[in-house]
Amino acid sequence: MRALLLGVLLIALGCEGPAIVDAGSDGGVELPSDAGPPPARWFDDVTAAAGVDATRPDDFGNLPERMNGGVCVLDVDGQPPMDLFFAMMTGEGARSRLYVASSAMAFEEQSEMRGLGDVGAAMGCLAFDAEGDGDDDLLVTGLGVVRLFLREGEGFVEHTEQLGVTPDPVGMYTGAAAGDVDDDGDIDLAIGAFVHWDEARLPEMCGLACGGLLQVYDPIPNLLLLREADGTYREAAAELAPDMALLEPTQLVSITDLDGDGRVDIYVGNDLGVSYPNRPLVRDADGVYRDVGIDLGLSYNASGYGMDTMGFSTADIDGDGQLDHVSSSVPEDATAVFLCAEDFCEAQLATRSGTVTTEHTFRWGVALVDLDLDGRPDLVEASGHIHSDEQARLIESSRDQAPNLLRNVGGRFEPIGIALDDGRRPVVARGVAVTDLDEDGRPDVVLATTVGEPVLLRNVVEPVGSWLRVRLVGRSPNTGGLGARVTIRDADGALVGVQDRRAGEGYLGSFDPRLFFGVTGAGPFTVEVTWPAGGTTSVEGVSPGREVELREE
């Protein structure tokens, strides 16, 4: 963020830097006023009760250790609730963990017995159906790690050789996303790559004190892996998405429809936005993905600056039927909100969107999810500084930070403070995921941390309306219906909600494959899905408070 990001990064492992100033400050806070007072209590912390005890030691050493902490929601045993995989760097007994749910909020650690006992120096993960057999497979990314584990029987078996790539042994591989980017029906992979983490060169420059100065390190190339008919993958970034092949420090990638034409695009979110803007890649007439950030309005925030993008999430924020986006960032650089029309996304001033109120926190994973079931997605952000506590105090901050919660009021966000029993507590969070921990139909939140234990937050806010949950079953090989659009309408045909099915969201992870909608009114509702191949499936007369399964014929 700005050239002054140097000041933040210089002290990441020991160097003091200048105070950070937001050159893009846009004045006083303008918050929504068209709603009553928000509920005080939104969550219960159910981590201990659920049996999730994965712990990472408080070493807080090099940059990969400070940035790791992805979480993926997946189905391991074929029954609800969904299961959880936490990607963690190894060290002092720490390793990635798989938790399988036997019942509501009752998890058992089954990493070893399911074939995931040793996945390497993990930072992130991605759950998706690679083979088109209806089972969730798992991609793991990290320090020198790009590994593919396929479901076979009751567990996972590594088939990384199918990817056809040799990772940089000290390269940091970050976020990943899955989708059909070449329109051949099967599921391809986009994998973000950050930097070549070469500690050997530090002593000749300034020693470990430069450990957090990203400009010291060389970016490494992102990967775009196209799945072939024989199940192997072919690297095709330079061919199919040359702007994705640029050497830039990429934190995340998303495969979603950015321009509203019904086909998936690729969003590349970079760190050091002052030098490396985010790149929305949309297909041209020749089928090649090109950077259209200026035309589409998604590369820069409302102050005209590139963003240090940590997390990314997509939903219809203002209820106009168009999907909007949020991009989280570092302190003094407010979370960017983009409200989109058919062919342009307008970056909102942080004072108008409401996100200015949380810019003092270091935000990573973000999730747009309707927690209070009023038909509008709220915003949850995983927070936690990249500095140690001692280093953070030098800039009057702290390492452990409570997650941010902002309620959607009329298409703008209203920050929700923490009640004494709200469940949100200061942690060093990185990843965030949305799922239903207790199978009550309401979305819950999972936070992955880079120090200590994860946090499971059960949604207990008083609901405004009710819920609908949509499960998609597409034709093989795209059994998850990635790239499909789900639309819900009321009895009069008015739009109630719209979502796209994605794999890869938040920061270094992936959400529940089921789509959560908040609905108001008694219904009945019509649920319709437009599949990537162009066909549609609909169900009429749907009452609220139920899950609907739609199958592609």
Side-chain angles (χ1 to χ4, degrees):
M1 58 167 295
R2 314 303 88 78
L4 290 176
L5 179 61
L6 287 174
V8 180
L9 295 174
L10 276 170
I11 71 171
L13 287 180
C15 287
E16 294 190 34
I20 306 167
V21 178
D22 183 6
S25 178
D26 48 17
V29 176
E30 179 182 338
L31 293 177
S33 59
D34 58 344
R41 185 162 169 262
W42 288 66
F43 296 109
D44 276 345
D45 182 347
V46 297
T47 311
V52 175
D53 55 359
T55 302
R56 197 174 184 287
D58 194 353
D59 50 19
F60 221 64
N62 60 32
L63 193 62
E65 290 171 342
R66 298 181 184 218
M67 289 176 58
N68 84 105
V71 55
C72 284
V73 181
L74 71 167
D75 185 4
V76 174
D77 56 2
Q79 62 182 18
M82 301 295 285
D83 311 306
L84 299 172
F85 178 82
F86 294 95
M88 297 195 298
M89 292 283 292
T90 54
E92 295 187 24
R95 57 180 172 81
S96 298
R97 301 289 186 95
L98 172 69
Y99 287 87
V100 178
S102 58
S103 60
M105 294 189 300
F107 290 90
E108 179 183 347
E109 202 269 326
Q110 297 184 0
S111 310
E112 292 281 354
M113 66 177 291
R114 301 279 185 173
L116 297 175
D118 180 14
V119 300
M123 295 177 63
C125 56
L126 175 70
F128 72 110
D129 183 5
E131 304 170 280
D133 60 358
D135 293 330
D136 282 340
D137 305 303
L138 191 68
L139 180 80
V140 179
T141 60
L143 181 60
V145 171
V146 180
R147 300 174 69 177
L148 178 64
F149 296 86
L150 303 180
R151 272 283 304 282
E152 294 184 7
E154 298 298 316
F156 293 84
V157 176
E158 184 170 8
H159 286 277
T160 299
E161 75 284 351
Q162 294 184 8
L163 297 177
V165 296
T166 302
D168 181 334
V170 289
M172 293 173 61
Y173 295 89
T174 50
D180 182 9
V181 300
D182 57 359
D183 287 334
D184 66 351
D186 57 21
I187 300 304
D188 311 303
L189 292 168
I191 301 172
F194 198 55
V195 296
H196 179 83
W197 176 253
D198 185 7
E199 290 185 289
R201 62 186 295 187
L202 289 177
E204 65 187 68
M205 304 186 68
C206 55
L208 286 175
C210 279
L213 183 58
L214 296 184
Q215 288 88 340
V216 171
Y217 309 104
D218 296 325
I220 57 177
N222 298 320
L223 303 173
L224 184 61
L225 305 181
L226 304 183
R227 186 173 176 89
E228 302 289 290
D230 62 358
T232 62
Y233 293 81
R234 175 174 64 89
E235 214 295 309
E239 165 197 338
L240 194 61
D243 292 310
M244 186 179 174
L246 300 173
L247 294 179
E248 298 179 332
T250 298
Q251 293 266 46
L252 62 90
V253 289
S254 177
I255 298 177
T256 189
D257 184 1
L258 298 173
D259 60 353
D261 68 351
R263 302 193 302 172
V264 296
D265 307 301
I266 304 172
Y267 189 80
V268 179
N270 291 322
D271 204 345
L272 298 180
V274 65
S275 301
Y276 306 103
N278 293 342
R279 301 194 181 278
L281 308 180
V282 173
R283 276 176 279 196
D284 62 16
D286 296 323
V288 177
Y289 289 85
R290 305 287 186 187
D291 182 0
V292 296
I294 300 299
D295 294 334
L296 198 56
L298 282 173
S299 287
Y300 302 94
N301 64 20
S303 299
Y305 294 110
M307 300 160 287
D308 302 322
T309 297
M310 318 300 285
F312 189 74
S313 190
T314 297
D316 182 6
I317 294 173
D318 54 0
D320 65 351
Q322 302 292 328
L323 292 181
D324 310 303
H325 314 281
V326 294
S327 173
S328 64
S329 193
V330 296
E332 306 301 330
D333 195 3
T335 296
V337 176
F338 298 89
L339 299 183
C340 301
E342 289 186 1
D343 56 359
F344 186 75
C345 296
E346 182 177 355
Q348 304 296 296
L349 292 172
T351 50
R352 290 188 175 275
S353 69
T355 59
V356 68
T357 58
T358 58
E359 66 179 3
H360 64 284
T361 58
F362 203 119
R363 287 144 286 121
W364 300 79
V366 293
L368 286 166
V369 52
D370 187 358
L371 295 168
D372 56 2
L373 305 182
D374 66 351
R376 297 284 177 87
D378 308 300
L379 177 62
V380 179
E381 300 179 323
S383 300
H385 222 294
I386 198 169
H387 303 338
S388 69
D389 219 23
E390 180 181 356
Q391 294 159 352
R393 282 196 294 268
L394 295 175
I395 54 172
E396 299 182 347
S397 187
S398 60
R399 185 192 67 175
D400 295 21
Q401 299 177 352
N404 297 320
L405 171 62
L406 296 92
R407 179 178 64 155
N408 188 333
V409 180
R412 296 180 293 170
F413 292 109
E414 175 184 276
I416 304 298
I418 301 177
L420 291 178
D421 58 351
D422 185 52
R424 287 180 286 157
R425 54 186 168 88
V427 291
V428 196
R430 295 296 183 258
V432 63
V434 174
T435 188
D436 188 354
L437 296 169
D438 54 1
E439 286 296 305
D440 67 350
R442 302 168 62 186
D444 306 308
V445 174
V446 178
L447 302 174
T449 59
T450 192
V451 167
E453 295 180 347
V455 180
L456 276 60
L457 295 174
R458 178 174 175 260
N459 181 356
V460 296
V461 69
E462 185 68 26
V464 175
S466 187
W467 58 273
L468 281 175
R469 193 165 64 199
V470 179
R471 180 191 294 270
L472 300 181
V473 181
R475 288 198 304 262
S476 182
N478 186 6
T479 60
L482 297 181
R485 173 159 296 190
V486 174
T487 303
I488 297 181
R489 298 186 181 276
D490 65 17
D492 297 323
L495 180 68
V496 172
V498 58
Q499 294 187 44
D500 280 2
R501 171 76 172 95
R502 292 176 295 278
E505 195 163 2
Y507 171 77
L508 301 184
S510 51
F511 294 0
D512 197 310
R514 304 169 298 182
L515 302 179
F516 295 85
F517 291 86
V519 296
T520 57
F525 300 98
T526 297
V527 183
E528 181 178 89
V529 55
T530 301
W531 302 98
T536 61
T537 305
S538 64
V539 177
E540 299 179 351
V542 178
S543 300
R546 57 170 292 196
E547 178 177 299
V548 180
E549 182 179 282
L550 290 93
R551 290 180 171 268
E552 186 177 17
E553 301 300 331

